[in-house]
């Protein structure tokens, strides 16, 4: 499936409107790392502030540092699992469907949400899958809207050629 994904992406990058990205095996690893970094950095900020606020006077810095060291890597790992599963499902859908479009991301978000909630039962898993699909549909819809809005701004504007004031058509009859 991964080889088919890389082949289908190579064709899309040459002739399609899809942005050029790494082939799927490398994309999955890249998304794992990027998601971990995003979760670890965001978790450092979040847990640093939380540790500062909940620590007694005189221990604010150490409380903040302790909260960052204990909780930020956990949040980074959670983000990495979500990002890696999402990217794996996205690449699989690209290989199965043979094209890369927003539907792959929407379905990948739904499948990822469902798989991550599978331990909590069928009902909860279906709810998480629905929520994941809706969130990704909103994100994809916003991206399509932003792309259309910025594409209109990038269209070339035809310039008006100024008329020559010394030509016969440009002179007034008063002179």
């Amino acid at each position: 499936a991964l080889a088919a994904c890389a082949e289908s992406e190579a064709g899309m990058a040459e002739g399609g409107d899809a942005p050029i990205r790494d082939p799927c095996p490398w994309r999955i690893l890249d998304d794992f790392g990027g998601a971990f970094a995003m979760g670890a950095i965001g978790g450092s900020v979040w847990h640093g502030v939380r540790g500062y606020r909940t620590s007694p006077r005189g221990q604010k810095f150490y409380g903040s540092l302790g909260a960052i060291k204990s909780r930020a890597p956990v949040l980074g790992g959670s983000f990495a699992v979500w990002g890696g599963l999402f990217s794996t499902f996205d690449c699989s859908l690209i290989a199965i469907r043979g094209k890369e479009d927003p539907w792959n991301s929407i379905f990948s978000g739904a499948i990822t949400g469902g798989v991550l909630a599978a331990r909590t039962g069928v009902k909860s898993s279906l709810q998480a899958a629905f929520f994941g699909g809706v969130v990704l549909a909103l994100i994809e819809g916003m991206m399509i809207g932003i792309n259309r809005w910025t594409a209109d701004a990038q269209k070339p504007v035809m310039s008006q050629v100024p008329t020559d004031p010394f030509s016969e058509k440009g002179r007034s009859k008063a002179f």
Side-chain angles (χ1 to χ4, degrees), residues 6-163:
E7 291 172 10
S8 67
E9 286 178 5
M12 283 186 279
E14 293 171 3
D17 292 333
I20 299 173
R21 291 187 64 186
D22 291 335
C24 275
W26 306 118
R27 180 189 303 188
I28 294 168
L29 292 174
D30 185 42
D31 287 348
F32 263 120
F36 178 81
M38 186 170 54
I41 291 169
S44 296
V45 172
W46 178 265
H47 291 294
V49 170
R50 191 174 135 254
Y52 181 85
R53 293 183 67 199
T54 58
S55 296
R57 278 185 206 205
Q59 297 295 315
K60 300 269 186 191
F61 176 75
Y62 294 111
S64 177
L65 193 60
I68 290 170
K69 286 174 23 178
S70 66
R71 298 302 305 162
V74 174
L75 189 61
S78 297
F79 269 66
V81 168
W82 198 97
L85 279 176
F86 175 82
S87 186
T88 301
F89 292 133
D90 192 36
C91 286
S92 298
L93 288 172
I94 291 170
I96 291 167
R97 295 182 67 226
K99 59 183 175 178
E100 187 170 1
D101 61 2
W103 289 109
N104 290 341
S105 295
I106 294 168
F107 289 133
S108 296
I111 296 168
T112 301
V115 166
L116 289 175
R119 292 176 39 190
T120 60
V122 175
K123 181 180 177 186
S124 178
S125 182
L126 290 174
Q127 288 174 343
F130 177 76
F131 182 74
V134 167
V135 167
L136 264 296
L138 291 173
I139 291 171
E140 288 295 325
M142 286 180 12
M143 292 304 295
I144 290 170
I146 289 170
N147 286 340
R148 285 186 182 169
W149 181 56
T150 57
D152 288 341
Q154 298 295 326
K155 285 183 182 176
V157 178
M158 184 181 288
S159 61
Q160 296 288 334
V161 178
T163 58

